[in-house]
Amino acid sequence: RKSDGLIEESHYDMNLVLFDALLRHLLWTGDKEFAREVWPNLKRHLAWEKRCFDRDGLYEAWPCIWASDALQYAGGGVTHSSAYNYYQNKMAGRIARWIGEDPAPFEAEAELIHSAMQERLWLEDQGAYAEYRDAWGLELAHPSAALWTIYHAIDSEVPAPLQAWQMLRDVETRLPQIPVHGPGVPDGDWD
């Protein structure tokens, strides 16, 4: 509540960030006991993501990354949230195999997301993923992807190696280079 008694609505989906860190921890440590312990939570998280945000293989993004305040996609399928969901389903399938659970639903969802991203978000002529695709109207792809879209897609293992290189090349040539100068900054061309 705000000081004037009004309720301020605020919706965040930072579960994606939490479960990304959790999965990377499990993969790094190989801690099967902890994996079994958190498995029900992971399954509930992925079911909730699908129920609330799945848009035919692409995932809508409420504020779900650290840079996401004030981002709005009007229900469209977004690259960074789809990438997170792809990786989390892919890794849930891997962890399911470790702990004797059925990996098939998670592997199938990961494949569905990956295919949707390749078909509807990859911009071949630009060599990058779109920031998102509109859910309504002409269902346009928005080509001006933010830097976080690039690194979340790569970190989530979505692009093939050539696609990752193309995305990074797109960053070098499309995003503005902002010079860095100031007290304590060594002399040099730091853009």
Side-chain angles (χ1 to χ4, degrees):
R1 290 186 180 267
K2 293 167 48 174
S3 62
D4 60 8
L6 297 175
I7 295 174
E8 182 178 354
E9 290 194 34
S10 177
H11 301 283
Y12 284 85
D13 180 26
M14 295 304 279
N15 286 344
L16 284 173
V17 176
L18 170 72
F19 280 94
D20 185 70
L22 174 68
L23 287 165
R24 291 173 193 278
H25 168 79
L26 292 173
L27 294 168
W28 180 261
T29 64
D31 188 342
K32 289 183 184 180
E33 183 178 325
F34 187 51
R36 283 184 192 90
E37 184 180 333
V38 298
W39 181 250
N41 299 321
L42 177 59
K43 285 183 7 180
R44 276 193 303 272
H45 159 68
L46 293 173
W48 184 78
E49 283 289 323
K50 182 154 185 68
R51 185 174 61 251
C52 295
F53 303 113
D54 179 29
R55 303 295 177 260
D56 195 25
L58 299 179
Y59 279 70
E60 181 182 1
W62 283 84
C64 62
I65 60 172
W66 290 113
S68 64
D69 281 356
L71 293 179
Q72 303 217 358
Y73 299 101
V78 181
T79 294
H80 65 262
S81 54
S82 298
Y84 260 138
N85 277 284
Y86 164 72
Y87 182 79
Q88 291 177 14
N89 276 279
K90 180 178 162 183
M91 293 304 111
R94 184 171 166 187
I95 289 168
R97 288 184 191 286
W98 289 357
I99 63 173
E101 297 286 338
D102 182 12
F106 308 102
E107 292 170 347
E109 182 64 13
E111 181 54 40
L112 175 70
I113 296 166
H114 192 266
S115 293
M117 290 183 75
Q118 293 301 106
E119 292 168 15
R120 301 193 341 248
L121 291 173
W122 180 252
L123 305 173
E124 187 67 38
D125 59 329
Q126 185 177 328
Y129 289 101
E131 180 70 10
Y132 71 105
R133 184 169 287 278
D134 288 329
W136 301 294
L138 299 176
E139 298 184 17
L140 299 175
H142 294 264
S144 296
L147 188 57
W148 54 75
T149 297
I150 307 300
Y151 65 72
H152 278 300
I154 292 172
D155 196 45
S156 295
E157 303 176 359
V158 175
L162 178 59
Q163 287 177 308
W165 177 83
Q166 289 174 300
M167 292 167 64
L168 294 173
R169 183 71 184 126
D170 183 58
V171 168
E172 288 181 330
T173 59
R174 181 181 52 83
L175 293 182
Q177 304 296 306
I178 301 170
V180 178
H181 303 283
V185 177
D187 289 336
D189 187 16
W190 305 105
D191 35 305

